[in-house]
């Protein structure tokens, strides 16, 4: 079982930056794929970015490509999402997710473990 705890959300002006963190505990992550999803008000949960813990392969949603960077720290068992050039449409609750023995998937049902979420609000 993996427990995930997100942090780092907040209020930022458009064009600003935030870094989200997701601390994982319970198991080592070498056999997991990790991802960030987000849910904006009135919208469905959507894939933002994913990373395979074993080899660092990454994937991004077209809407964040070039602005967001996903990374991991093996020593800290922590996942990060560096968000730059933020836009009001990035406003959402951001969730960290973990998938056991599978590649990066954009479908939220592929992930077995979820954090509680952290709010990101971008003002115009």
């Amino acid at each position: 079982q993996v427990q995930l705890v997100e942090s780092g959300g907040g209020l930022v002006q458009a064009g600003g930056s935030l870094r989200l963190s997701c601390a994982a505990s319970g198991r080592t992550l070498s056999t997991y794929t990790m991802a960030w999803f987000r849910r904006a008000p009135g919208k469905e949960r959507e894939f933002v970015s994913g990373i395979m813990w074993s080899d660092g392969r990454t994937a991004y949603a077209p809407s964040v490509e070039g602005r967001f960077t996903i990374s991991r720290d093996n020593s800290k068992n922590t996942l990060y999402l560096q968000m730059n050039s933020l836009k009001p449409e990035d406003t959402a609750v951001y969730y960290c997710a973990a998938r056991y023995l599978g590649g990066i998937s954009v479908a939220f049902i592929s992930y077995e473990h979820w954090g509680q979420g952290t709010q990101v609000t971008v003002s115009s």
Side-chain angles (χ1 to χ4, degrees):
Q1 189 75 1
V2 175
Q3 292 82 42
L4 304 172
V5 179
E6 302 99 333
S7 61
L11 173 64
V12 64
Q13 288 188 330
S17 299
L18 281 175
R19 188 177 80 156
L20 305 183
S21 300
C22 174
S25 62
R27 297 190 66 170
T28 58
L29 299 178
S30 59
T31 54
Y32 283 82
T33 291
M34 304 292 291
W36 290 96
F37 283 77
R38 66 187 181 187
R39 176 179 281 166
K43 296 186 177 180
E44 294 192 353
R45 189 169 9 181
E46 65 171 352
F47 173 83
V48 175
S49 182
I51 186 168
M52 293 189 69
W53 203 268
S54 57
D55 61 12
R57 273 180 286 174
T58 61
Y60 295 91
S63 59
V64 307
E65 182 89 49
R67 299 188 298 122
F68 291 10
T69 302
I70 192 171
S71 62
R72 76 216 193 282
D73 185 327
N74 291 336
S75 65
K76 296 180 179 180
N77 241 26
T78 300
L79 177 73
Y80 300 101
L81 184 68
Q82 177 66 45
M83 305 185 295
N84 299 327
S85 302
L86 283 160
K87 305 175 181 180
E89 50 263 44
D90 294 318
T91 295
V93 177
Y94 284 71
Y95 298 91
C96 172
R99 182 188 190 194
Y100 181 63
L101 290 182
I104 299 172
S105 172
V106 301
F108 70 85
I109 61 172
S110 299
Y111 296 81
E112 300 95 351
H113 308 285
W114 292 84
Q116 82 288 350
T118 185
Q119 176 71 47
V120 171
T121 303
V122 184
S123 63
S124 57

